[in-house]
Amino acid sequence: MNLHSPDVQVTDSNEALTYLKEGNARFVADACMPRDTNKQDLALTANAQKPFAAILTCADSRTCPEIFFDQKIGDLFVLRNAGNVADASVLGSLEFAVKHLGVAVVVVVGHTMCGAVHTSYDGVEGLSCNLQAMLDGLRPSIAGSGGKEEAAQDNVQNQVDILAANEVIGAVPVLGAYYDIATGVVEFN
């Protein structure tokens, strides 16, 4: 069981990673923490947040890190967009999480059956302006990939490299992970 409380700052990256791994194991085993502490957690986080990890993941409705990592309110600083892309908004948000919130680790979580990556890999054209720009932006991350799932994994690694190269974000460990939407298992790179 995760003994982390939203009122205690976790500063050790190994401890933070352990919380994520243990939480995913609970989720996969269908043994998640009881959710009868929401009112208490709200009270503890009402005046400040102390997340131990920042997560960049896809906007896909099947990828909810608070759930598949079995964490509570205040534990994770989560950013989501189609294809888990480290764009300017994400970079700024993660800089804030590292520098001002003190997250101990940043994790980019890709997933199986990622529609954004698969569509970009297929080279689909002629979509709305914003959607096409998003898909075109993914293409450099997956150029040379040997298939759609490999492309999704290559994209994770590319986003990790972008984040780790940032002088603020790279001050903490930046890791990649891959979530299987069928099993619930998260594998860390």
Side-chain angles (χ1 to χ4, degrees), residues 30-60:
D30 201 21
C32 292
M33 292 184 284
R35 293 291 182 230
D36 59 355
T37 63
N38 287 339
K39 294 287 186 194
Q40 177 184 355
D41 293 341
L42 286 172
L44 288 170
T45 60
N47 294 318
Q49 59 175 317
K50 296 176 183 169
F52 65 83
I55 310 292
L56 168 58
T57 195
C58 189
D60 188 301

Side-chain angles (χ1 to χ4, degrees), residues 5 15 17 35 57 60 62 67 72 76 84 100 111 120 128 135 138 141-142 155-156 169 179 185:
S5 173
E15 183 179 5
L17 187 56
R35 293 291 182 230
T57 195
D60 188 301
R62 301 166 291 181
I67 295 173
K72 295 183 175 188
L76 303 178
N84 38 274
H100 299 286
H111 67 95
S120 182
S128 67
L135 294 174
L138 276 170
S141 294
I142 61 175
N155 181 52
V156 167
I169 300 165
Y179 174 65
V185 173

Side-chain angles (χ1 to χ4, degrees), residues 124-156:
V124 173
E125 298 286 339
L127 301 169
S128 67
C129 180
N130 292 319
L131 179 54
Q132 192 67 57
M134 185 271 301
L135 294 174
D136 292 346
L138 276 170
R139 289 203 175 105
S141 294
I142 61 175
S145 298
K148 292 179 182 181
E149 291 306 313
E150 182 180 318
Q153 292 179 12
D154 290 347
N155 181 52
V156 167

Side-chain angles (χ1 to χ4, degrees), residues 27-178:
F27 174 72
V28 171
D30 201 21
C32 292
M33 292 184 284
R35 293 291 182 230
D36 59 355
T37 63
N38 287 339
K39 294 287 186 194
Q40 177 184 355
D41 293 341
L42 286 172
L44 288 170
T45 60
N47 294 318
Q49 59 175 317
K50 296 176 183 169
F52 65 83
I55 310 292
L56 168 58
T57 195
C58 189
D60 188 301
S61 65
R62 301 166 291 181
T63 62
C64 303
E66 296 90 345
I67 295 173
F68 64 69
F69 283 132
D70 190 31
Q71 299 303 315
K72 295 183 175 188
I73 293 169
D75 287 344
L76 303 178
F77 186 86
V78 178
L79 300 158
R80 296 176 69 176
N81 62 34
N84 38 274
V85 176
D87 60 18
S89 175
V90 167
L91 289 169
S93 297
L94 289 174
E95 288 173 358
F96 173 77
V98 170
K99 190 164 181 91
H100 299 286
L101 299 179
V103 297
V105 65
V106 174
V107 183
V108 178
V109 183
H111 67 95
T112 57
M113 303 300 294
C114 182
V117 173
H118 289 192
T119 303
S120 182
Y121 182 84
D122 287 340
V124 173
E125 298 286 339
L127 301 169
S128 67
C129 180
N130 292 319
L131 179 54
Q132 192 67 57
M134 185 271 301
L135 294 174
D136 292 346
L138 276 170
R139 289 203 175 105
S141 294
I142 61 175
S145 298
K148 292 179 182 181
E149 291 306 313
E150 182 180 318
Q153 292 179 12
D154 290 347
N155 181 52
V156 167
Q157 187 56 55
N158 188 59
Q159 304 311 316
V160 166
D161 293 345
I162 291 168
L163 297 178
N166 178 288
E167 64 182 33
V168 175
I169 300 165
V172 300
V174 180
L175 307 171
Y178 203 63

